[in-house]
Amino acid sequence: AGQSSSLDSVHLACQRLARGEAELALAGGVSLILAPDSTVSALRFGGLSPDGRCFTFDERANGFVRGEGGGVVVLKPLARALTDGDRIHAVIHGSAVNNDGGGPSLTTPSTAAQEAVLRAAYARAGVAPDAGGYVELHGTGTPVGDPVEAAALGAVLGAARTAPLPVGSVKTNIGHLEGAAGIAGLLKATLTVERN
């Protein structure tokens, strides 16, 4: 849950708002590299890109690049935001959380679990899986994780699709923000959809 923790905060905030437990929520995350030991550990683990570049879904994919940063979103029920005259950048129709562990190793996520969370999110949102116009992926740029994520995406979103589906990963732009990776991806997806 470390890498998805900022998106987990968005998911939990949306649930509280939907249940009427709050009228406004702030959700997000921050990641700073404050101790060299964490980078040394990632290097020894074999997760870091030796050339310092992130090549998500590319044959050159050889690891991730650590980044620093953070982000926060202000969340309100849509009716309240409209009444308050707020500028609305995006509407979250539904979300889902699960554990994609259970693969052969820590760096090998489970395709079945990723398929399940995608199906759950689309079902809760009431959106057909082939209706989306863009998908922001985790996409770490590792030769093991990226194919698993792509396979899950293809199985769930590609089956009924007739048009190409643009995908991206903010890690190619700013590196892997680890605990804040999810919020960075949500912000990029929001801007991508808003401006296209």
Side-chain angles (χ1 to χ4, degrees):
Q3 294 180 15
S4 66
S5 58
S6 59
L7 275 185
D8 286 356
S9 74
V10 172
H11 173 75
L12 293 171
C14 287
Q15 287 183 328
R16 296 246 168 142
L17 292 167
R19 290 193 301 254
E21 297 172 1
E23 294 180 0
L24 179 137
L26 301 176
V30 175
S31 181
L32 299 174
I33 304 168
L34 301 175
D37 301 357
S38 59
T39 300
V40 171
S41 294
L43 185 60
R44 287 184 181 146
F45 184 74
L48 295 181
S49 169
D51 54 21
R53 303 225 16 226
C54 181
F55 296 106
T56 301
F57 300 111
D58 188 307
E59 65 185 15
R60 297 171 293 173
N62 60 4
F64 67 93
V65 177
R66 297 185 81 198
E68 294 183 306
V72 65
V73 292
V74 179
L75 303 166
K76 283 186 179 181
L78 180 58
R80 175 70 187 265
L82 290 169
T83 299
D84 291 348
D86 295 330
R87 181 172 178 199
I88 300 168
H89 295 276
V91 176
I92 299 174
H93 292 283
S95 61
V97 173
N98 77 352
N99 181 339
D100 76 349
S105 73
L106 178 65
T107 60
T108 308
S110 164
T111 303
Q114 290 202 9
E115 288 179 26
V117 78
L118 283 168
R119 286 190 178 93
Y122 276 87
R124 290 179 187 158
V127 175
D130 63 338
Y134 174 77
V135 174
E136 177 69 17
L137 300 165
H138 187 56
T140 57
T142 60
V144 176
D146 286 359
V148 170
E149 190 173 5
L153 188 70
V156 175
L157 305 184
R161 205 164 173 86
T162 56
L165 177 63
V167 299
S169 171
V170 73
K171 289 166 193 64
T172 61
N173 304 104
I174 61 173
H176 193 334
L177 299 192
E178 298 164 15
I183 199 69
L186 176 62
L187 292 170
K188 179 186 170 202
T190 298
L191 291 170
T192 299
V193 172
E194 184 181 46
R195 295 179 181 184
N196 288 317

